[in-house]
Each structure stands twice: as C-alpha cells, then as structure tokens.
Amino acid sequence: MSTRRNKQPTIIDIAEVAGVSKSTVARALSGSPHIGEKTRERVLSAVRALGYERNHLAHSLRSGKTGLIGLVIPDIANPFWAEVARGAQDAAAASGASLLIFSSDWDPEREAHHLRALRQARVDGAIVNPVADNVDGLGRFGLPVVLIGSSAERFPELSSVGSDIAQGVALGLDHLAGLGHHRPALLVGSANRLARVRFMRVVHDYCIGHDIDPATLVIEEGSYTVESGRAAMLRLLERDPKAARCVFAANDLMALGALLAVREAGLRCPDDVSILGFDGIPAAAFSDPGLTTVEKPARAIGMEGMRLLRETIEGELEHRRVLLDCALTSRGSLARSGENGPARLMAVGSN
C-alpha cells in the first residue's frame, strides 16, 4: 500500500478495491448500460476513495473523441461575449467536456490561426462567431462546427444560433414610440460591420411600416466601445441638440459612453436626454441612471450553440438557424417625450 500512495491509481487498483474485473470498471466509467447500478456505485465509490483520474489521452485515442470543444468569439473583453462564453462553458461542463476559448479581436487572420490551433488540438468541434468574409477557413476546419451571432447569416449552409435582431430592434423602437419618441437618433457601428447593416435594415423597414421617412433619422457612428459612444454622443449634442433628446444605441457599451457624454455636457439623463441600449450586459444595471436596454439572450446563445454542436458531433442535427427572442429590460434612462429639457439641450448646442 505504501508504494500505491506514490503513484496514480489505475483501473487495476479500482478493480481490486471494488472486487470486480477490469472490464467491469471500464464499463462503469464509460457509462455503459450493461452494468448493474449497485456494481456501478461500488466502482464509483472506489474511484472516489482512490482519487482516480481517467487518462484522457488514452481514452481519446480509443474513442476518437478528446472531450475538448473550441469557442472562437470576436471580443472576450466585451461583457456580452463573456456571457456567451459562460453559457457555452456551463453546457460543456454539464456534458463532461472542456472548453478552449479564443478571441479573434475581429481579425480574420487571427480567427484562421485559432481554427488551425483547434484543429491541431484535435477538438471534437467548435462554436464560432465568424469575422471572415468567406467560409473557406471554416471549410478547411474539417470538424463539426456551429456558428453564433449576426455574422452567421452570411453562411446559410452551416447551422447557427443567435438572437432575433429584427424582433429586438423592433421591440426597442416600439417602446420608444410608446413614450412618444418616434424619431430617435441612432448610435451605430462602422459601415463595414454586418451588425450595423442588420440593425439599420430593421430600422429602415420599421420606419417604412410606420410612415416615417428613414432619411429623417440622425445617425452617428461609433465602434461598439464605451469611448466611441461617448465621442459619438458629444458630436450629436453639438450637431443636432433636438435629435439628441432621444438616442437608441446599437450596443450597451456605446449607450454607456453616451451616458458619460451627457454628464460631461452638464446634462442629465433622462431629464434632458433619453438613452436606450442594446445587448443587456450586466454593467447596464449599475450605471447612473440604470440603462434601459433590449437584452439579447447571451448566455442562452452559448448554451444553445453547445447543444447544437453536440447534436452535430453525434450526427443527429438537422441543419437549421435558431433565433432566440430578445427582451426589454426597463430601468431609468428613458423619459416620455416632452419631459426632456429642450431649452437646456439647445443651450448646449449653441456653445
């Protein structure tokens, strides 16, 4: 026994302690149904007592599976994508898999590098928010893959999961209209980002359906960061104070930046400016005032992506695009039209 304490326990050790054969231990560890529950529990008790850990490398060579799943997201510093990663990790852990997380930083070359690394690591499959403009890199990946996010619509031949942007943007515009804000100013991303294209497509269709000329909406451009939202809001306040009375930002980080700009300009939200965000990141609850936002189901996207990938790996998935509904989270950053302070806004614009 003294020598056994100095080495890793083996299946033979477990078999001796449990009083069963090596093959019975192997069946118990693999979850085989061809073993009685009392015997399985005796084996598992021996596993716990000895502190046994399976040799995953040897197991993967026999089964062809490593138990590793790749996740490639565009910006791990963005709280939205961190929530997506958490959802995927929770779902992976529940199935006994481990997650390898990579951030592409919106760089197609870095994305391709990460996909090569995952392939070399012999992962069982990957969940990817694609930033490249073509599917070549994913085609060469050669392993099961499920796409997530708005960029996935570029690749209809691959299964994917994301939030229903059309439903979410319309939900936000309906809420603003109910408060009397029929022509909110828009803080959007750069023109080369598909997320902006999709956001603006929904806004355009919504306006046409509600007898509003889309060309009358004032638009300022950012890059989905707090600082870019701050800069865009300062430009808007100087350019068109009247339009600045209500702002719909295409993500929460820009909305939080807009809140900073309003305070910097000597104004108050929502007394002078109403702001609506989009994403539902946790930080939105802690701003002053709390940010009203259209919440995308980030964690559910990660979990659903993992579920679809598992089905793909097992060959059970019928190709499909899954869209999850967004929800409005109301806090304190919106006021009814007419309750804002136009005189103070006009004074700021005249400086």
Side-chain angles (χ1 to χ4, degrees):
M1 291 296 291
S2 60
T3 57
R4 216 173 258 165
R5 291 195 194 103
N6 297 322
K7 68 182 185 69
Q8 291 294 329
T10 67
I11 285 181
I12 295 175
D13 297 325
I14 295 171
E16 288 181 3
V17 172
V20 298
S21 67
K22 290 189 298 181
S23 59
T24 298
V25 173
R27 285 196 296 271
L29 293 176
S30 66
S32 170
H34 305 298
I35 182 175
E37 285 305 313
K38 289 184 178 179
T39 301
R40 187 193 309 277
E41 182 53 39
R42 193 160 71 248
V43 170
L44 295 180
S45 293
V47 166
R48 291 190 291 269
L50 294 175
Y52 171 80
E53 292 184 3
R54 175 180 286 192
N55 185 327
H56 289 284
L57 177 58
H59 175 71
S60 67
L61 291 174
R62 291 191 299 270
S63 67
K65 301 288 178 59
T66 62
L68 298 175
I69 300 297
L71 174 66
V72 183
I73 52 179
D75 184 5
I76 200 169
N78 185 320
F80 173 79
W81 290 110
E83 280 292 295
V84 171
R86 178 57 188 267
Q89 178 178 280
D90 288 349
S95 66
S98 298
L99 203 63
L100 303 177
I101 303 175
F102 293 85
S103 180
S104 68
D105 298 328
W106 298 106
D107 183 342
E109 291 186 8
R110 184 166 295 181
E111 176 182 89
H113 173 78
H114 293 331
L115 290 175
R116 286 194 299 271
L118 289 171
R119 186 170 60 248
Q120 291 165 3
R122 301 180 67 249
V123 296
D124 296 335
I127 302 169
V128 182
N129 182 93
V131 298
D133 290 330
N134 59 67
V135 77
D136 289 347
L138 293 171
R140 289 193 299 271
F141 185 54
L143 295 171
V145 63
V146 167
L147 305 184
I148 54 175
S150 59
S151 301
E153 74 172 27
R154 296 197 302 256
F155 311 114
E157 65 272 34
L158 296 174
S159 294
S160 59
V161 57
S163 51
D164 191 335
I165 300 298
Q167 176 262 342
V169 174
L171 179 66
L173 292 171
D174 279 340
H175 186 68
L176 292 177
L179 295 173
H181 301 293
H182 299 282
R183 288 178 172 80
L186 305 175
L187 302 187
V188 298
S190 58
N192 64 345
R193 293 281 291 274
L194 181 62
R196 168 175 170 158
V197 174
R198 294 190 69 199
F199 188 91
M200 291 305 302
R201 185 192 308 156
V202 179
V203 171
H204 179 275
D205 292 346
Y206 182 94
C207 288
I208 296 299
H210 290 77
D211 296 324
I212 298 171
D213 182 0
T216 63
L217 299 183
V218 177
I219 300 171
E220 282 290 344
E221 184 175 298
S223 58
Y224 300 110
T225 64
V226 172
E227 181 52 37
S228 73
R230 172 186 167 275
M233 188 69 203
L234 289 174
R235 292 195 302 271
L236 177 62
L237 286 168
E238 182 176 355
R239 167 189 172 191
D240 194 333
K242 184 177 180 181
R245 291 171 64 183
C246 180
V247 172
F248 188 2
N251 84 336
D252 284 346
L253 292 179
M254 288 196 295
L256 293 173
L259 278 171
L260 294 176
V262 167
R263 191 175 302 125
E264 186 177 324
L267 300 171
R268 295 187 299 270
C269 175
D271 298 342
D272 302 310
V273 178
S274 288
I275 299 176
L276 175 64
F278 197 82
D279 269 354
I281 64 175
F286 303 106
S287 61
D288 183 21
L291 180 67
T292 295
T293 182
V294 176
E295 183 172 351
K296 294 193 288 186
R299 191 169 296 196
I301 289 172
M303 297 185 74
E304 181 68 8
M306 188 65 216
R307 188 184 70 80
L308 294 186
L309 182 61
R310 274 291 170 203
E311 292 184 13
T312 303
I313 292 170
E314 300 301 327
E316 301 173 354
L317 176 64
E318 294 182 7
H319 174 270
R320 62 183 182 271
R321 167 79 168 151
V322 176
L323 294 177
L324 304 178
D325 283 348
C326 303
L328 185 83
T329 300
S330 184
R331 297 191 178 100
S333 63
L334 296 178
R336 289 190 173 277
S337 178
E339 294 178 3
N340 298 127
R344 285 163 53 83
L345 276 165
M346 298 305 290
V348 169
S350 64
N351 289 341

